[in-house]
Amino acid sequence: QVQLVESGGGLVQAGASLRLSCAASRGTFSNYCMAWFRRAPGKEREFVAGINWSGDSTIYAESVKGRFTISRDNAKNTVYLQMNSLKPEDTAVYYCAAQTDVIPRSDYVVDYWGRGTQVTVSS
């Protein structure tokens, strides 16, 4: 079973950038498609971005397309989320997710979750 630990969250002003990291352990990282989800206060968790096993295929939610970039380093067992031009509506707890067969775009197909990292964007 893979364990996922997120880091890199924080409090920033609108327009700033952050890079989230998710380190995986206890599993073969390259066997998993990875994704980032987020849960804003009072809202359901939503898909943000996903990447396949090798990193040559990515998908994004429309709300972050052009601002966020997901990438992975299989040698370091880590997936990243580069977030640029942050907006107050990006404020949420960001979760790392892993799935063996497909890029997970729904809670229901995720095999493993991290505990999350808080991102707060002030206006």
Side-chain angles (χ1 to χ4, degrees):
Q1 293 185 352
V2 66
Q3 291 188 338
L4 305 172
V5 179
E6 302 94 336
S7 61
L11 171 62
V12 297
Q13 290 189 330
S17 297
L18 277 176
R19 189 176 80 155
L20 305 183
S21 299
C22 172
S25 61
R26 295 189 180 184
T28 304
F29 181 67
S30 59
N31 286 350
Y32 293 91
C33 295
M34 302 298 296
W36 288 93
F37 287 72
R38 67 186 181 187
R39 178 180 281 142
K43 295 186 178 181
E44 294 186 352
R45 186 157 47 190
E46 64 175 359
F47 170 81
V48 175
I51 190 167
N52 70 344
W53 309 272
S54 60
D56 60 1
S57 179
T58 57
I59 53 176
Y60 296 92
E62 285 298 320
S63 58
V64 306
K65 199 173 291 184
R67 299 187 299 123
F68 291 11
T69 302
I70 188 171
S71 62
R72 67 190 295 162
D73 186 337
N74 286 345
K76 295 183 178 180
N77 293 345
T78 302
V79 62
Y80 305 97
L81 185 68
Q82 177 66 44
M83 304 186 295
N84 299 329
S85 302
L86 282 162
K87 304 175 181 179
E89 51 263 45
D90 294 318
T91 295
V93 177
Y94 283 72
Y95 298 90
C96 181
Q99 214 280 346
T100 54
D101 298 321
V102 296
I103 296 175
R105 300 185 65 178
S106 167
D107 279 22
Y108 302 106
V109 300
V110 171
D111 291 330
Y112 302 103
W113 290 101
R115 292 189 174 185
T117 185
Q118 176 71 47
V119 172
T120 303
V121 185
S122 64
S123 57

